[in-house]
Amino acid sequence: MDDRYGNKVNQVPDDYRYQGTNYEGYPPQDGYYHGGEEPSQEEDAQSDATEGHDEDDEVYEGEYQGIPHPDDIKAKQKKKAAGMAEEFRDHADLVAERMEDEEQLAHQYETIIEECSHGRFQWMLFIVLGLALMADGVEVFVVGFVLPSAEKDMCLSSSNKGMLGLIVYLGMMLGAVLWGGLADKLGRKQCLIISLSINAAFAFLSSFVQGYGFFLFCRLISGFGIGGTLPIVFAYFSEFLSREKRGEHLSWLCMFWMIGGLYASIMAWSIIPHYGWGFSMGTNYHFHSWRVFVVICSLPCIASLVALKFMPESPRFLLEIGKHDEAWMILKQVHDTNMRAKGEPERVFTVANIKTPKQIDEFIEIQSSTGTWYQRSLVRFTTTFKQVLDNILYCLTAQYRMNTLFLAIVWFTMALSYYGLIVWFPDMIRYYQEEAYKSREKNFRNEEVKHFTFNFTLENQVHKNGTYFNDKFMKMKFKDVTFEDSLFEECYFEDVTSSETFFKECTFISTVFYNTDLYEHKFIDCKFVNTTFLDQKEGCHLDFEQDNDFLIYLVSFLGSLSVLPGNIISALLMDKIGRIKMIGGSMLISAVCCFFLFFGNSESAMIGWQCLFCSTSIAAWNALDVITVELYPTHKRATAFGILNGLCKVGAILGNSIFASFVGITKVIPILLASSALVAGGLLALRLPETRDQVLM
């Protein structure tokens, strides 16, 4: 017969019925009942056959083929849909409960930090994290200081030097985003140790490599390591500070970046000019003084790395991931350390229980006993990467989208102006030096020199239509010398070195060049008759700029020192006038200072305006660091800081490239671009919410 779904349904066969005396009415031939004259037996048989069986319990023909019944499919789908809806409701409830827990924790944690007080522990952490921040400041200056010496050892062209200057910022950009994201998942201390270790290892290694490509790679990875410093350091330190201390002490912490610049300038001034400080191994390996300087510059990073081993993890981070007992022990350590330093060791830490946010398990990691080590590592990597990516996207959700957008623009405009001008100032000073040097150029026309020996330096000269007969140029140097339309006949050049020296449309007759660096590219449209080149000098064929190293170090030193007043003022006023007014006021005042650059027509004037610009703009940097920390919750704080700091490095790269391209062409575009960006960023900063009175979420 057909069931309600149109399937053929048969009665259950009786092959399994017991053949005995009690069931003689069921002949064994076919196993079915054929009727008979005994109705009582028929009724009994029907009763036995249908015992425990209803119409709804009928079996359709696909059951024994493993095909589920349509009713079962519908029931399972309804059950699954109900389960998913319940799961989504449970997840939404968990998220709401977690947000409520986080708000309670924020206020309770503020009370706990106030009970722990501000004392010895915070100052110890201040020094340790300050050394890490100092290492970041040193990293920015290292390449600029070593380039004048490294270009000679590595034979770097202008494009090579430009790439070396930018590669550090590229590494710092990538490092800021990655390490900031990881610090919110793996912990502040652990990620800071790893990032500083990478920086120290590759910075140290870069001092020994000889080739440009490997040196470039080492500085890239070194920058990648140090890029995590800013996001982690400020998030880490802020979580040990109470609301009333946070703005001031984060601003004091910013001073270590200035100290890093001073340290790099002093070390460069003391070490690099001593070119003999080093050693050589054969003719191909040279360890000159600039390499010693690179090693010395890694010391702040190493010192911070060692000291960080004795510092605890951020208790606020531990509470966010549900590690209550560990966080409580650290907070008790902070309390006891500060109380002992204040002479009150008998004071007891009164906190017994701390609110821990509801934990939401987003991923299930493969167990150590399951799969191969490769599979487990892959799962951990993909899980962590997904979590970091989710954190980045979280900063763009509706709750934080506008704040992130405004902060991104302010960070970018500040970096574009600041880093662009910081590169532009030394380039303009160098340009004024070159102009002054060219103004002292000596010109010689139609001179005739015969049977004369040149054994002294010729510098900054132009010789036109000259005739030189049987002259000797021996053990001498040409520096910025040009010969045009001149005749050299039976002359002899021996052991001659040159820089920025060229022969244009000259004629050489019966002339010998022995052991010189007058290579082919220095002869432009020249004629050679019976002229011989013997044993030319080996090495780099490029001419290098004659930099005034002392002036470079002095300009950097004064620029770093000039931010000291701005640091002090911003630290003292940060909690009094607020972060927003500090950013807007500092950027607008810096924009006004930019217009004074139109009057900078000398080296001393440019140095003075650089110091003024640095001292007024530093307050905006400090306030940006503080407000970025305070606008985001603990589990997204380092991620957001890393994203914005990475964008800052993009602005630095563009600023360096754009501003440097206008040196010697015009001052108008760099000045207008910098001032416009500062005005736009300063006005937009006023739209951000003030955070000085809020607890650390």
Side-chain angles (χ1 to χ4, degrees), residues 27-49:
Q29 286 80 7
D30 55 4
Y32 290 96
Y33 176 69
H34 295 282
E37 295 76 25
E38 301 179 22
S40 61
Q41 292 181 351
E42 180 181 357
E43 292 174 0
D44 292 341
Q46 288 178 351
S47 175
D48 290 341

mmCIF file with all atom_site columns, all heavy atoms in Angstrom, residues 27-49:
data_model
loop_
_atom_site.group_PDB
_atom_site.id
_atom_site.type_symbol
_atom_site.label_atom_id
_atom_site.label_alt_id
_atom_site.label_comp_id
_atom_site.label_asym_id
_atom_site.label_entity_id
_atom_site.label_seq_id
_atom_site.pdbx_PDB_ins_code
_atom_site.Cartn_x
_atom_site.Cartn_y
_atom_site.Cartn_z
_atom_site.occupancy
_atom_site.B_iso_or_equiv
_atom_site.pdbx_formal_charge
_atom_site.auth_seq_id
_atom_site.auth_comp_id
_atom_site.auth_asym_id
_atom_site.auth_atom_id
_atom_site.pdbx_PDB_model_num
ATOM 1   N N   . PRO A 1 27 ? 1.873   -21.514 8.439  1.00 0.00 ? 27 PRO A N   1
ATOM 2   C CA  . PRO A 1 27 ? 2.660   -22.507 7.700  1.00 0.00 ? 27 PRO A CA  1
ATOM 3   C C   . PRO A 1 27 ? 3.993   -21.922 7.288  1.00 0.00 ? 27 PRO A C   1
ATOM 4   O O   . PRO A 1 27 ? 4.106   -20.756 6.949  1.00 0.00 ? 27 PRO A O   1
ATOM 5   C CB  . PRO A 1 27 ? 1.789   -22.801 6.466  1.00 0.00 ? 27 PRO A CB  1
ATOM 6   C CG  . PRO A 1 27 ? 0.415   -22.378 6.868  1.00 0.00 ? 27 PRO A CG  1
ATOM 7   C CD  . PRO A 1 27 ? 0.589   -21.252 7.783  1.00 0.00 ? 27 PRO A CD  1
ATOM 8   N N   . PRO A 1 28 ? 5.028   -22.720 7.323  1.00 0.00 ? 28 PRO A N   1
ATOM 9   C CA  . PRO A 1 28 ? 6.385   -22.235 7.031  1.00 0.00 ? 28 PRO A CA  1
ATOM 10  C C   . PRO A 1 28 ? 6.664   -22.045 5.562  1.00 0.00 ? 28 PRO A C   1
ATOM 11  O O   . PRO A 1 28 ? 7.711   -21.552 5.202  1.00 0.00 ? 28 PRO A O   1
ATOM 12  C CB  . PRO A 1 28 ? 7.272   -23.330 7.608  1.00 0.00 ? 28 PRO A CB  1
ATOM 13  C CG  . PRO A 1 28 ? 6.440   -24.559 7.551  1.00 0.00 ? 28 PRO A CG  1
ATOM 14  C CD  . PRO A 1 28 ? 5.029   -24.143 7.728  1.00 0.00 ? 28 PRO A CD  1
ATOM 15  N N   . GLN A 1 29 ? 5.721   -22.475 4.655  1.00 0.00 ? 29 GLN A N   1
ATOM 16  C CA  . GLN A 1 29 ? 6.054   -22.433 3.246  1.00 0.00 ? 29 GLN A CA  1
ATOM 17  C C   . GLN A 1 29 ? 6.335   -21.019 2.755  1.00 0.00 ? 29 GLN A C   1
ATOM 18  O O   . GLN A 1 29 ? 7.306   -20.774 2.055  1.00 0.00 ? 29 GLN A O   1
ATOM 19  C CB  . GLN A 1 29 ? 4.923   -23.051 2.400  1.00 0.00 ? 29 GLN A CB  1
ATOM 20  C CG  . GLN A 1 29 ? 4.854   -24.565 2.488  1.00 0.00 ? 29 GLN A CG  1
ATOM 21  C CD  . GLN A 1 29 ? 4.153   -25.017 3.762  1.00 0.00 ? 29 GLN A CD  1
ATOM 22  O OE1 . GLN A 1 29 ? 3.611   -24.200 4.508  1.00 0.00 ? 29 GLN A OE1 1
ATOM 23  N NE2 . GLN A 1 29 ? 4.180   -26.316 4.024  1.00 0.00 ? 29 GLN A NE2 1
ATOM 24  N N   . ASP A 1 30 ? 5.451   -20.042 3.067  1.00 0.00 ? 30 ASP A N   1
ATOM 25  C CA  . ASP A 1 30 ? 5.672   -18.698 2.540  1.00 0.00 ? 30 ASP A CA  1
ATOM 26  C C   . ASP A 1 30 ? 5.758   -17.661 3.629  1.00 0.00 ? 30 ASP A C   1
ATOM 27  O O   . ASP A 1 30 ? 6.013   -16.501 3.374  1.00 0.00 ? 30 ASP A O   1
ATOM 28  C CB  . ASP A 1 30 ? 4.567   -18.298 1.567  1.00 0.00 ? 30 ASP A CB  1
ATOM 29  C CG  . ASP A 1 30 ? 3.187   -18.411 2.191  1.00 0.00 ? 30 ASP A CG  1
ATOM 30  O OD1 . ASP A 1 30 ? 3.147   -18.722 3.399  1.00 0.00 ? 30 ASP A OD1 1
ATOM 31  O OD2 . ASP A 1 30 ? 2.198   -18.167 1.490  1.00 0.00 ? 30 ASP A OD2 1
ATOM 32  N N   . GLY A 1 31 ? 5.496   -18.097 4.871  1.00 0.00 ? 31 GLY A N   1
ATOM 33  C CA  . GLY A 1 31 ? 5.644   -17.147 5.965  1.00 0.00 ? 31 GLY A CA  1
ATOM 34  C C   . GLY A 1 31 ? 4.488   -16.214 6.133  1.00 0.00 ? 31 GLY A C   1
ATOM 35  O O   . GLY A 1 31 ? 4.522   -15.345 6.992  1.00 0.00 ? 31 GLY A O   1
ATOM 36  N N   . TYR A 1 32 ? 3.394   -16.296 5.393  1.00 0.00 ? 32 TYR A N   1
ATOM 37  C CA  . TYR A 1 32 ? 2.255   -15.372 5.505  1.00 0.00 ? 32 TYR A CA  1
ATOM 38  C C   . TYR A 1 32 ? 1.003   -16.149 5.867  1.00 0.00 ? 32 TYR A C   1
ATOM 39  O O   . TYR A 1 32 ? 0.858   -17.333 5.603  1.00 0.00 ? 32 TYR A O   1
ATOM 40  C CB  . TYR A 1 32 ? 2.014   -14.618 4.184  1.00 0.00 ? 32 TYR A CB  1
ATOM 41  C CG  . TYR A 1 32 ? 3.107   -13.627 3.889  1.00 0.00 ? 32 TYR A CG  1
ATOM 42  C CD1 . TYR A 1 32 ? 4.150   -13.977 3.052  1.00 0.00 ? 32 TYR A CD1 1
ATOM 43  C CD2 . TYR A 1 32 ? 3.072   -12.360 4.449  1.00 0.00 ? 32 TYR A CD2 1
ATOM 44  C CE1 . TYR A 1 32 ? 5.144   -13.082 2.784  1.00 0.00 ? 32 TYR A CE1 1
ATOM 45  C CE2 . TYR A 1 32 ? 4.067   -11.462 4.179  1.00 0.00 ? 32 TYR A CE2 1
ATOM 46  C CZ  . TYR A 1 32 ? 5.094   -11.815 3.344  1.00 0.00 ? 32 TYR A CZ  1
ATOM 47  O OH  . TYR A 1 32 ? 6.078   -10.925 3.072  1.00 0.00 ? 32 TYR A OH  1
ATOM 48  N N   . TYR A 1 33 ? 0.050   -15.442 6.368  1.00 0.00 ? 33 TYR A N   1
ATOM 49  C CA  . TYR A 1 33 ? -1.212  -16.072 6.770  1.00 0.00 ? 33 TYR A CA  1
ATOM 50  C C   . TYR A 1 33 ? -2.137  -16.119 5.573  1.00 0.00 ? 33 TYR A C   1
ATOM 51  O O   . TYR A 1 33 ? -2.326  -15.127 4.886  1.00 0.00 ? 33 TYR A O   1
ATOM 52  C CB  . TYR A 1 33 ? -1.874  -15.254 7.894  1.00 0.00 ? 33 TYR A CB  1
ATOM 53  C CG  . TYR A 1 33 ? -3.208  -15.777 8.299  1.00 0.00 ? 33 TYR A CG  1
ATOM 54  C CD1 . TYR A 1 33 ? -3.339  -17.003 8.961  1.00 0.00 ? 33 TYR A CD1 1
ATOM 55  C CD2 . TYR A 1 33 ? -4.366  -15.063 7.974  1.00 0.00 ? 33 TYR A CD2 1
ATOM 56  C CE1 . TYR A 1 33 ? -4.574  -17.481 9.318  1.00 0.00 ? 33 TYR A CE1 1
ATOM 57  C CE2 . TYR A 1 33 ? -5.604  -15.550 8.341  1.00 0.00 ? 33 TYR A CE2 1
ATOM 58  C CZ  . TYR A 1 33 ? -5.715  -16.752 9.019  1.00 0.00 ? 33 TYR A CZ  1
ATOM 59  O OH  . TYR A 1 33 ? -6.946  -17.234 9.396  1.00 0.00 ? 33 TYR A OH  1
ATOM 60  N N   . HIS A 1 34 ? -2.798  -17.333 5.275  1.00 0.00 ? 34 HIS A N   1
ATOM 61  C CA  . HIS A 1 34 ? -3.663  -17.520 4.104  1.00 0.00 ? 34 HIS A CA  1
ATOM 62  C C   . HIS A 1 34 ? -5.137  -17.650 4.466  1.00 0.00 ? 34 HIS A C   1
ATOM 63  O O   . HIS A 1 34 ? -5.949  -17.974 3.627  1.00 0.00 ? 34 HIS A O   1
ATOM 64  C CB  . HIS A 1 34 ? -3.225  -18.770 3.332  1.00 0.00 ? 34 HIS A CB  1
ATOM 65  C CG  . HIS A 1 34 ? -1.845  -18.624 2.757  1.00 0.00 ? 34 HIS A CG  1
ATOM 66  N ND1 . HIS A 1 34 ? -1.573  -17.914 1.620  1.00 0.00 ? 34 HIS A ND1 1
ATOM 67  C CD2 . HIS A 1 34 ? -0.655  -19.114 3.196  1.00 0.00 ? 34 HIS A CD2 1
ATOM 68  C CE1 . HIS A 1 34 ? -0.283  -17.974 1.355  1.00 0.00 ? 34 HIS A CE1 1
ATOM 69  N NE2 . HIS A 1 34 ? 0.298   -18.706 2.302  1.00 0.00 ? 34 HIS A NE2 1
ATOM 70  N N   . GLY A 1 35 ? -5.495  -17.392 5.677  1.00 0.00 ? 35 GLY A N   1
ATOM 71  C CA  . GLY A 1 35 ? -6.910  -17.510 6.069  1.00 0.00 ? 35 GLY A CA  1
ATOM 72  C C   . GLY A 1 35 ? -7.259  -18.902 6.559  1.00 0.00 ? 35 GLY A C   1
ATOM 73  O O   . GLY A 1 35 ? -6.524  -19.861 6.389  1.00 0.00 ? 35 GLY A O   1
ATOM 74  N N   . GLY A 1 36 ? -8.440  -19.107 7.167  1.00 0.00 ? 36 GLY A N   1
ATOM 75  C CA  . GLY A 1 36 ? -8.838  -20.403 7.676  1.00 0.00 ? 36 GLY A CA  1
ATOM 76  C C   . GLY A 1 36 ? -10.181 -20.331 8.334  1.00 0.00 ? 36 GLY A C   1
ATOM 77  O O   . GLY A 1 36 ? -10.863 -19.347 8.327  1.00 0.00 ? 36 GLY A O   1
ATOM 78  N N   . GLU A 1 37 ? -10.614 -21.468 8.938  1.00 0.00 ? 37 GLU A N   1
ATOM 79  C CA  . GLU A 1 37 ? -11.935 -21.543 9.536  1.00 0.00 ? 37 GLU A CA  1
ATOM 80  C C   . GLU A 1 37 ? -11.923 -21.182 11.001 1.00 0.00 ? 37 GLU A C   1
ATOM 81  O O   . GLU A 1 37 ? -12.938 -21.246 11.655 1.00 0.00 ? 37 GLU A O   1
ATOM 82  C CB  . GLU A 1 37 ? -12.513 -22.954 9.376  1.00 0.00 ? 37 GLU A CB  1
ATOM 83  C CG  . GLU A 1 37 ? -12.794 -23.385 7.945  1.00 0.00 ? 37 GLU A CG  1
ATOM 84  C CD  . GLU A 1 37 ? -11.541 -23.741 7.215  1.00 0.00 ? 37 GLU A CD  1
ATOM 85  O OE1 . GLU A 1 37 ? -10.552 -24.119 7.888  1.00 0.00 ? 37 GLU A OE1 1
ATOM 86  O OE2 . GLU A 1 37 ? -11.506 -23.607 5.971  1.00 0.00 ? 37 GLU A OE2 1
ATOM 87  N N   . GLU A 1 38 ? -10.781 -20.840 11.572 1.00 0.00 ? 38 GLU A N   1
ATOM 88  C CA  . GLU A 1 38 ? -10.713 -20.577 12.995 1.00 0.00 ? 38 GLU A CA  1
ATOM 89  C C   . GLU A 1 38 ? -10.476 -19.095 13.222 1.00 0.00 ? 38 GLU A C   1
ATOM 90  O O   . GLU A 1 38 ? -9.349  -18.609 13.181 1.00 0.00 ? 38 GLU A O   1
ATOM 91  C CB  . GLU A 1 38 ? -9.568  -21.377 13.629 1.00 0.00 ? 38 GLU A CB  1
ATOM 92  C CG  . GLU A 1 38 ? -9.737  -22.868 13.427 1.00 0.00 ? 38 GLU A CG  1
ATOM 93  C CD  . GLU A 1 38 ? -8.602  -23.655 14.040 1.00 0.00 ? 38 GLU A CD  1
ATOM 94  O OE1 . GLU A 1 38 ? -7.930  -23.128 14.956 1.00 0.00 ? 38 GLU A OE1 1
ATOM 95  O OE2 . GLU A 1 38 ? -8.357  -24.750 13.584 1.00 0.00 ? 38 GLU A OE2 1
ATOM 96  N N   . PRO A 1 39 ? -11.593 -18.369 13.410 1.00 0.00 ? 39 PRO A N   1
ATOM 97  C CA  . PRO A 1 39 ? -11.442 -16.925 13.581 1.00 0.00 ? 39 PRO A CA  1
ATOM 98  C C   . PRO A 1 39 ? -10.656 -16.546 14.799 1.00 0.00 ? 39 PRO A C   1
ATOM 99  O O   . PRO A 1 39 ? -9.975  -15.541 14.812 1.00 0.00 ? 39 PRO A O   1
ATOM 100 C CB  . PRO A 1 39 ? -12.883 -16.432 13.680 1.00 0.00 ? 39 PRO A CB  1
ATOM 101 C CG  . PRO A 1 39 ? -13.737 -17.627 13.892 1.00 0.00 ? 39 PRO A CG  1
ATOM 102 C CD  . PRO A 1 39 ? -12.983 -18.812 13.488 1.00 0.00 ? 39 PRO A CD  1
ATOM 103 N N   . SER A 1 40 ? -10.724 -17.337 15.870 1.00 0.00 ? 40 SER A N   1
ATOM 104 C CA  . SER A 1 40 ? -9.982  -16.960 17.082 1.00 0.00 ? 40 SER A CA  1
ATOM 105 C C   . SER A 1 40 ? -8.485  -16.992 16.824 1.00 0.00 ? 40 SER A C   1
ATOM 106 O O   . SER A 1 40 ? -7.733  -16.127 17.274 1.00 0.00 ? 40 SER A O   1
ATOM 107 C CB  . SER A 1 40 ? -10.345 -17.907 18.222 1.00 0.00 ? 40 SER A CB  1
ATOM 108 O OG  . SER A 1 40 ? -10.006 -19.228 17.894 1.00 0.00 ? 40 SER A OG  1
ATOM 109 N N   . GLN A 1 41 ? -8.057  -18.030 16.085 1.00 0.00 ? 41 GLN A N   1
ATOM 110 C CA  . GLN A 1 41 ? -6.631  -18.099 15.741 1.00 0.00 ? 41 GLN A CA  1
ATOM 111 C C   . GLN A 1 41 ? -6.224  -16.939 14.833 1.00 0.00 ? 41 GLN A C   1
ATOM 112 O O   . GLN A 1 41 ? -5.135  -16.409 14.929 1.00 0.00 ? 41 GLN A O   1
ATOM 113 C CB  . GLN A 1 41 ? -6.331  -19.441 15.048 1.00 0.00 ? 41 GLN A CB  1
ATOM 114 C CG  . GLN A 1 41 ? -6.467  -20.637 15.987 1.00 0.00 ? 41 GLN A CG  1
ATOM 115 C CD  . GLN A 1 41 ? -6.149  -21.929 15.291 1.00 0.00 ? 41 GLN A CD  1
ATOM 116 O OE1 . GLN A 1 41 ? -5.979  -21.970 14.071 1.00 0.00 ? 41 GLN A OE1 1
ATOM 117 N NE2 . GLN A 1 41 ? -6.076  -23.012 16.057 1.00 0.00 ? 41 GLN A NE2 1
ATOM 118 N N   . GLU A 1 42 ? -7.157  -16.540 13.927 1.00 0.00 ? 42 GLU A N   1
ATOM 119 C CA  . GLU A 1 42 ? -6.849  -15.413 13.022 1.00 0.00 ? 42 GLU A CA  1
ATOM 120 C C   . GLU A 1 42 ? -6.689  -14.129 13.811 1.00 0.00 ? 42 GLU A C   1
ATOM 121 O O   . GLU A 1 42 ? -5.771  -13.354 13.602 1.00 0.00 ? 42 GLU A O   1
ATOM 122 C CB  . GLU A 1 42 ? -7.980  -15.258 11.999 1.00 0.00 ? 42 GLU A CB  1
ATOM 123 C CG  . GLU A 1 42 ? -7.735  -14.100 11.031 1.00 0.00 ? 42 GLU A CG  1
ATOM 124 C CD  . GLU A 1 42 ? -8.896  -13.975 10.059 1.00 0.00 ? 42 GLU A CD  1
ATOM 125 O OE1 . GLU A 1 42 ? -9.808  -14.810 10.118 1.00 0.00 ? 42 GLU A OE1 1
ATOM 126 O OE2 . GLU A 1 42 ? -8.853  -13.032 9.266  1.00 0.00 ? 42 GLU A OE2 1
ATOM 127 N N   . GLU A 1 43 ? -7.597  -13.956 14.772 1.00 0.00 ? 43 GLU A N   1
ATOM 128 C CA  . GLU A 1 43 ? -7.502  -12.742 15.581 1.00 0.00 ? 43 GLU A CA  1
ATOM 129 C C   . GLU A 1 43 ? -6.229  -12.742 16.399 1.00 0.00 ? 43 GLU A C   1
ATOM 130 O O   . GLU A 1 43 ? -5.560  -11.723 16.541 1.00 0.00 ? 43 GLU A O   1
ATOM 131 C CB  . GLU A 1 43 ? -8.721  -12.643 16.497 1.00 0.00 ? 43 GLU A CB  1
ATOM 132 C CG  . GLU A 1 43 ? -10.000 -12.387 15.733 1.00 0.00 ? 43 GLU A CG  1
ATOM 133 C CD  . GLU A 1 43 ? -11.219 -12.448 16.648 1.00 0.00 ? 43 GLU A CD  1
ATOM 134 O OE1 . GLU A 1 43 ? -11.000 -12.684 17.868 1.00 0.00 ? 43 GLU A OE1 1
ATOM 135 O OE2 . GLU A 1 43 ? -12.322 -12.225 16.160 1.00 0.00 ? 43 GLU A OE2 1
ATOM 136 N N   . ASP A 1 44 ? -5.892  -13.949 16.947 1.00 0.00 ? 44 ASP A N   1
ATOM 137 C CA  . ASP A 1 44 ? -4.646  -14.024 17.724 1.00 0.00 ? 44 ASP A CA  1
ATOM 138 C C   . ASP A 1 44 ? -3.438  -13.727 16.859 1.00 0.00 ? 44 ASP A C   1
ATOM 139 O O   . ASP A 1 44 ? -2.495  -13.043 17.271 1.00 0.00 ? 44 ASP A O   1
ATOM 140 C CB  . ASP A 1 44 ? -4.493  -15.424 18.339 1.00 0.00 ? 44 ASP A CB  1
ATOM 141 C CG  . ASP A 1 44 ? -5.545  -15.661 19.423 1.00 0.00 ? 44 ASP A CG  1
ATOM 142 O OD1 . ASP A 1 44 ? -6.091  -14.637 19.899 1.00 0.00 ? 44 ASP A OD1 1
ATOM 143 O OD2 . ASP A 1 44 ? -5.770  -16.825 19.761 1.00 0.00 ? 44 ASP A OD2 1
ATOM 144 N N   . ALA A 1 45 ? -3.493  -14.273 15.624 1.00 0.00 ? 45 ALA A N   1
ATOM 145 C CA  . ALA A 1 45 ? -2.354  -14.049 14.714 1.00 0.00 ? 45 ALA A CA  1
ATOM 146 C C   . ALA A 1 45 ? -2.207  -12.583 14.381 1.00 0.00 ? 45 ALA A C   1
ATOM 147 O O   . ALA A 1 45 ? -1.105  -12.037 14.344 1.00 0.00 ? 45 ALA A O   1
ATOM 148 C CB  . ALA A 1 45 ? -2.533  -14.880 13.442 1.00 0.00 ? 45 ALA A CB  1
ATOM 149 N N   . GLN A 1 46 ? -3.348  -11.934 14.087 1.00 0.00 ? 46 GLN A N   1
ATOM 150 C CA  . GLN A 1 46 ? -3.289  -10.507 13.769 1.00 0.00 ? 46 GLN A CA  1
ATOM 151 C C   . GLN A 1 46 ? -2.798  -9.706  14.966 1.00 0.00 ? 46 GLN A C   1
ATOM 152 O O   . GLN A 1 46 ? -2.040  -8.757  14.834 1.00 0.00 ? 46 GLN A O   1
ATOM 153 C CB  . GLN A 1 46 ? -4.677  -10.018 13.345 1.00 0.00 ? 46 GLN A CB  1
ATOM 154 C CG  . GLN A 1 46 ? -5.094  -10.521 11.980 1.00 0.00 ? 46 GLN A CG  1
ATOM 155 C CD  . GLN A 1 46 ? -6.501  -10.052 11.623 1.00 0.00 ? 46 GLN A CD  1
ATOM 156 O OE1 . GLN A 1 46 ? -7.204  -9.497  12.474 1.00 0.00 ? 46 GLN A OE1 1
ATOM 157 N NE2 . GLN A 1 46 ? -6.900  -10.298 10.391 1.00 0.00 ? 46 GLN A NE2 1
ATOM 158 N N   . SER A 1 47 ? -3.219  -10.118 16.121 1.00 0.00 ? 47 SER A N   1
ATOM 159 C CA  . SER A 1 47 ? -2.773  -9.410  17.326 1.00 0.00 ? 47 SER A CA  1
ATOM 160 C C   . SER A 1 47 ? -1.273  -9.565  17.510 1.00 0.00 ? 47 SER A C   1
ATOM 161 O O   . SER A 1 47 ? -0.566  -8.626  17.847 1.00 0.00 ? 47 SER A O   1
ATOM 162 C CB  . SER A 1 47 ? -3.524  -9.945  18.545 1.00 0.00 ? 47 SER A CB  1
ATOM 163 O OG  . SER A 1 47 ? -3.030  -9.360  19.724 1.00 0.00 ? 47 SER A OG  1
ATOM 164 N N   . ASP A 1 48 ? -0.782  -10.818 17.277 1.00 0.00 ? 48 ASP A N   1
ATOM 165 C CA  . ASP A 1 48 ? 0.665   -11.036 17.423 1.00 0.00 ? 48 ASP A CA  1
ATOM 166 C C   . ASP A 1 48 ? 1.450   -10.289 16.360 1.00 0.00 ? 48 ASP A C   1
ATOM 167 O O   . ASP A 1 48 ? 2.525   -9.745  16.611 1.00 0.00 ? 48 ASP A O   1
ATOM 168 C CB  . ASP A 1 48 ? 0.978   -12.536 17.338 1.00 0.00 ? 48 ASP A CB  1
ATOM 169 C CG  . ASP A 1 48 ? 0.465   -13.270 18.574 1.00 0.00 ? 48 ASP A CG  1
ATOM 170 O OD1 . ASP A 1 48 ? 0.235   -12.561 19.591 1.00 0.00 ? 48 ASP A OD1 1
ATOM 171 O OD2 . ASP A 1 48 ? 0.325   -14.487 18.498 1.00 0.00 ? 48 ASP A OD2 1
ATOM 172 N N   . ALA A 1 49 ? 0.933   -10.273 15.149 1.00 0.00 ? 49 ALA A N   1
ATOM 173 C CA  . ALA A 1 49 ? 1.674   -9.659  14.041 1.00 0.00 ? 49 ALA A CA  1
ATOM 174 C C   . ALA A 1 49 ? 1.776   -8.170  14.185 1.00 0.00 ? 49 ALA A C   1
ATOM 175 O O   . ALA A 1 49 ? 2.721   -7.559  13.709 1.00 0.00 ? 49 ALA A O   1
ATOM 176 C CB  . ALA A 1 49 ? 1.007   -10.018 12.706 1.00 0.00 ? 49 ALA A CB  1
#
